[in-house]
Amino acid sequence: MIRINLLPFRAARKKENVRRQISVFVLSLFLITAILHYAGGFWTKKIKLLNAQIDQINQELTVTTAAAKEVDKIKKELDALQQKTEVIQNLEKTRREPVQLLDAMTGLIVENRMWFTNFTDIQSTIKIKGVALDNKTVADFMTELEKSGFFSAVNLDSLKQVTFQKTLNLKDFEITCLKAKTDKASDKKAAKS
């Protein structure tokens, strides 16, 4: 009988299996290293890109913040200018009012029968203090004030008799009234002319 020794064949097969497993292991290790290296490069590029975007956004934010501060400064200047313009417009509207008021008063006074001693104009309230020869003169003056259209709510606050230079008895009066709207008063004055 012939005997075949299969032991070297089995040993060769075992060696080849070990070589194959080592080759697969080394190839797998190389493949895993390549994948990790590629993934690391990918994520490094992504991080660099995101950092560049963050830097760009920070620069834009700096520029935008500076522009916003400039806009706020301009808004404050515009508000101040608007307030100044409103003051000028208000002064322009009311600059003729005192002249018209005094003109109206001189036209309404009863000549040679009464005199003003004090005249106060606070907002829309006018206080008139004066001296008259008699009660009728004060009443006529109050009637003229109401008719003029420049004044409304004419009230006599006080009327006292005073002696002037020990011989002349005069009436000391105080009248309070409100200014009427200047447009209506101007229209009435224009209508009388």
Side-chain angles (χ1 to χ4, degrees), residues 128-144:
I128 304 166
K129 292 181 181 179
V131 179
L133 291 178
D134 54 17
N135 292 342
K136 183 176 181 335
T137 304
V138 175
D140 290 343
F141 176 66
M142 288 177 63
T143 304
E144 288 297 319

Side-chain angles (χ1 to χ4, degrees), residues 55-88:
D55 290 341
Q56 182 181 4
I57 289 172
N58 284 336
Q59 289 174 353
E60 289 176 4
L61 181 64
T62 303
V63 170
T64 305
T65 303
K69 286 180 181 178
E70 186 68 25
V71 167
D72 288 342
K73 181 181 173 185
I74 290 171
K75 280 184 180 180
K76 286 179 183 177
E77 289 174 358
L78 282 175
D79 288 342
L81 185 62
Q82 181 67 27
Q83 288 176 348
K84 290 176 184 177
T85 304
E86 287 174 2
V87 167
I88 290 170

Side-chain angles (χ1 to χ4, degrees), residues 12-182:
R13 213 158 83 204
K14 277 186 178 180
K15 280 184 182 178
E16 194 171 314
N17 277 345
V18 168
R19 252 190 265 144
R20 194 179 299 154
Q21 285 179 357
I22 289 175
S23 297
V24 168
F25 176 74
V26 169
L27 188 61
S28 296
L29 190 62
F30 177 73
L31 188 61
I32 288 173
T33 304
I35 289 173
L36 288 176
H37 181 63
Y38 174 76
F42 173 77
W43 288 113
T44 302
K45 285 181 184 178
K46 188 118 178 154
I47 288 171
K48 285 181 182 178
L49 180 66
L50 290 175
N51 283 337
Q53 287 178 349
I54 289 171
D55 290 341
Q56 182 181 4
I57 289 172
N58 284 336
Q59 289 174 353
E60 289 176 4
L61 181 64
T62 303
V63 170
T64 305
T65 303
K69 286 180 181 178
E70 186 68 25
V71 167
D72 288 342
K73 181 181 173 185
I74 290 171
K75 280 184 180 180
K76 286 179 183 177
E77 289 174 358
L78 282 175
D79 288 342
L81 185 62
Q82 181 67 27
Q83 288 176 348
K84 290 176 184 177
T85 304
E86 287 174 2
V87 167
I88 290 170
Q89 288 174 349
N90 190 25
L91 287 173
E92 185 65 31
K93 286 179 186 177
T94 59
R95 74 182 176 122
R96 292 186 181 101
E97 189 176 311
V99 174
Q100 290 173 345
L101 190 63
L102 288 174
D103 185 42
M105 280 294 166
T106 56
L108 298 174
I109 194 168
V110 180
E111 290 185 37
N112 297 325
R113 300 203 45 84
M114 65 178 294
W115 301 267
F116 291 137
T117 57
N118 192 353
F119 185 78
T120 309
D121 179 11
I122 300 173
Q123 293 178 347
S124 62
T125 303
I126 298 171
K127 286 193 171 228
I128 304 166
K129 292 181 181 179
V131 179
L133 291 178
D134 54 17
N135 292 342
K136 183 176 181 335
T137 304
V138 175
D140 290 343
F141 176 66
M142 288 177 63
T143 304
E144 288 297 319
L145 283 175
E146 288 175 346
K147 286 182 186 178
S148 71
F150 287 103
F151 310 99
S152 63
V154 179
N155 293 318
L156 179 64
D157 291 339
S158 68
L159 182 64
K160 299 184 250 179
Q161 183 166 334
V162 292
T163 305
F164 184 70
Q165 295 181 353
K166 297 184 182 182
T167 58
L168 195 58
N169 290 330
L170 300 175
K171 302 294 180 176
D172 187 31
F173 65 89
E174 186 175 330
I175 297 173
T176 304
C177 57
L178 300 175
K179 284 190 273 187
K181 300 272 186 201
T182 55

